[in-house]
Amino acid sequence: MATTNKPKLLKPNNAADFIGRKASTLAVWRCTGRYDLPYIKSGSSVLYDERDLLAFLESRKVRQ
């Protein structure tokens, strides 16, 4: 049996919880383009790929 790499897609509320923000913050980021956080838009639905959220968090990591 072959395994698939099907992405885990999260609704804005779940995505916001995942990165420790509010869903309204993600909405502002989408509208303003403040951060390069990819999302999927299908009709009126917005989804976030969990892999993109992990990459976003990694890119925000501060190393001194």
Side-chain angles (χ1 to χ4, degrees), residues 6-51:
K6 183 178 177 183
K8 182 173 182 183
L9 301 177
L10 302 175
K11 292 181 179 180
N13 285 337
N14 300 106
D17 287 343
F18 189 87
I19 64 168
R21 296 287 179 242
K22 294 180 181 179
S24 59
T25 299
L26 292 183
V28 169
W29 291 356
R30 284 193 308 271
C31 291
T32 62
R34 179 170 183 172
Y35 293 107
D36 184 23
L37 180 57
Y39 61 93
I40 299 162
K41 180 81 168 149
S42 178
S44 62
S45 297
V46 173
L47 299 168
Y48 291 88
D49 186 326
E50 188 177 84
R51 296 171 298 190

Side-chain angles (χ1 to χ4, degrees), residues 3-5 12 14 27-30 40 56-57 60:
T3 60
T4 61
N5 289 330
N14 300 106
V28 169
W29 291 356
R30 284 193 308 271
I40 299 162
F56 174 75
L57 290 175
R60 305 298 300 163

